[in-house]
Amino acid sequence: MSNITTLAVTEQFRPEFEDGWSTEYQRVRSSAEGSVNMYPVIGEYREFPLLPKTDSLRKLTKRFEETSPTDITTGKRRITTTPYVSSIAFDRKDQKKFGTLESPIGPTIANQRAEAARNLDQTIVGTSAEIGGLLGKAIEVDATGTVSYPVFDSTYEIANDFAFGGSGSASGMSYDKLLELKRQLAKYNVRSQDTTDSNPAGLCLLLGYSQVTDLLRDPKLQNRDNATALLEQVMDGEMHDVQGFTIKAVDDDVLPTSGSGATLVRTCVAFAKNAVAFGYNEMPNHELDVLPTKTHAIQSTFYFDWGLGRIWDKAVWKVYCNE
């Protein structure tokens, strides 16, 4: 099998030489990258000022009445980044083979780039115990400069057994859960207020391939607004707008789970695209140099420095799905 430009490798690196290596199956592109807004950080952190909606209206009851202005409450959410490095060494004999069918250097560089793409997905989703990501702790700065670390608010969750007409048994992703998500988000005005139908969805849903299968098998969703055809394309790895959400399937190891076997529950994440921010100090940058301390071995190194944080908590929701 030849690792040439016709293969599915990342756009940023395509091997110049043909080789004879067959690499392990893996995701080579980020699944969630197109679902978040990206901002350069250029430093230790980047702050996003928060301004709540005003609630200052009152009736005028007499002439020349004083305005009696009220103050506003402000705050900030802070996005920090985490530096990463991936470094692999090659012997001088590997260097001598560079450009031949036997050289592992070219395809290994492509593997490192793919590893960075998978880390991008993991950074976007995050984990509850760490700072950053959709599910992790946020960084909040109040008007006095005091820093706090809000955890994910359990108010913003769709239960595993949710179903209209009363809670049922544990279930996978369903039309009812999608509809309840839209209902809850609309209550907080986290929805598109555009009167046209030509713009992409303002909401995103990251789920696993098992959950895409659940939706395809849900009779309430079949043949509804071409949903089945679009979900089949999501199953093939594409990103599509379905029922008001930009839906993207990610690898199983990106979304957290609890339980095991028949009681395995996966946490999917829905969010407004403008409610989170992805910051970067350095996108994946590759260096190929010589290591004199390693008998002049070649070192292939990738550096990148990025992170994601929630700006508005009420626009990020967990959806629990039984597998």
Side-chain angles (χ1 to χ4, degrees):
M1 179 176 178
S2 298
N3 190 7
I4 54 178
T5 57
T6 55
L7 291 182
V9 297
T10 51
E11 295 90 340
Q12 295 91 339
F13 178 82
R14 292 184 180 275
E16 181 179 356
F17 304 103
E18 183 177 344
D19 62 68
W21 295 88
S22 176
T23 58
E24 182 180 356
Y25 292 112
Q26 60 183 306
R27 177 171 293 283
V28 298
R29 292 181 176 88
S30 167
S31 295
E33 180 179 3
S35 63
V36 295
N37 297 322
M38 294 189 168
Y39 303 89
V41 173
I42 315 175
E44 184 179 354
Y45 56 81
R46 178 166 178 164
E47 292 183 333
F48 292 79
L50 305 183
L51 186 64
K53 61 185 178 182
T54 59
D55 186 19
S56 60
L57 282 176
R58 64 182 180 85
K59 293 180 180 180
L60 290 174
T61 60
K62 56 186 177 181
R63 299 181 66 192
F64 304 110
E65 186 172 345
E66 294 291 338
T67 56
S68 300
T70 59
D71 197 3
I72 59 173
T73 301
T74 62
K76 298 176 182 178
R77 280 289 171 95
R78 182 178 292 177
I79 307 301
T80 59
T81 64
T82 301
Y84 294 89
V85 62
S86 168
S87 185
I88 296 177
F90 300 94
D91 191 78
R92 288 189 74 242
K93 62 182 181 181
D94 297 323
Q95 177 190 6
K96 298 301 182 183
K97 296 177 181 178
F98 193 42
T100 71
L101 296 178
E102 298 180 17
S103 174
I105 298 177
T108 300
I109 294 173
N111 279 344
Q112 289 177 279
R113 175 72 71 176
E115 185 180 14
R118 295 194 297 274
N119 179 268
L120 179 58
D121 286 349
Q122 294 164 348
T123 298
I124 289 174
V125 174
T127 60
S128 59
E130 298 181 358
I131 294 174
L134 294 167
L135 303 179
K137 301 174 185 176
I139 306 176
E140 186 165 302
V141 185
D142 65 17
T144 66
T146 302
V147 180
S148 60
Y149 302 91
V151 299
F152 193 97
D153 191 333
S154 60
T155 303
Y156 311 122
E157 296 180 349
I158 304 297
N160 187 27
D161 60 354
F162 177 83
F164 285 111
S167 298
S169 58
S171 64
M173 184 62 73
S174 65
Y175 175 73
D176 281 4
K177 289 181 179 179
L178 286 182
L179 196 57
E180 176 64 4
L181 261 177
K182 292 173 69 174
R183 185 183 76 86
Q184 293 286 1
L185 288 165
K187 286 172 59 178
Y188 292 104
N189 291 305
V190 184
R191 57 183 174 82
S192 173
Q193 300 186 38
D194 195 335
T195 57
T196 69
D197 59 2
S198 58
N199 291 321
L203 306 174
C204 184
L205 175 61
L206 301 180
L207 37 60
Y209 287 96
S210 295
Q211 287 71 54
V212 181
T213 303
D214 292 337
L215 291 175
L216 283 168
R217 292 169 56 87
D218 190 333
K220 293 183 180 180
L221 197 60
Q222 290 172 357
N223 300 319
R224 181 187 293 269
D225 297 330
N226 204 32
T228 299
L230 292 173
L231 286 169
E232 287 175 345
Q233 294 177 59
V234 172
M235 197 71 175
D236 290 333
E238 299 180 13
M239 180 183 291
H240 285 284
D241 289 355
V242 182
Q243 297 296 300
F245 294 90
T246 299
I247 295 183
K248 183 62 178 179
V250 298
D251 290 349
D252 282 350
D253 60 354
V254 173
L255 298 171
T257 60
S258 60
S260 61
T263 61
L264 180 68
V265 177
R266 187 168 302 282
T267 302
C268 302
V269 193
F271 58 95
K273 297 175 184 177
N274 60 2
V276 300
F278 183 94
Y280 62 90
N281 271 309
E282 183 178 23
M283 296 302 280
N285 186 30
H286 180 243
E287 303 283 350
L288 188 64
D289 49 25
V290 175
L291 292 174
T293 57
K294 295 288 186 181
T295 63
H296 294 82
I298 286 182
Q299 175 183 239
S300 171
T301 305
F302 272 88
Y303 296 97
F304 47 96
D305 186 359
W306 52 32
L308 179 135
R310 295 190 309 276
I311 306 301
W312 293 103
D313 288 343
K314 65 183 180 181
V316 182
W317 283 66
K318 291 180 181 179
V319 188
Y320 295 110
C321 298
N322 194 68
E323 288 194 4

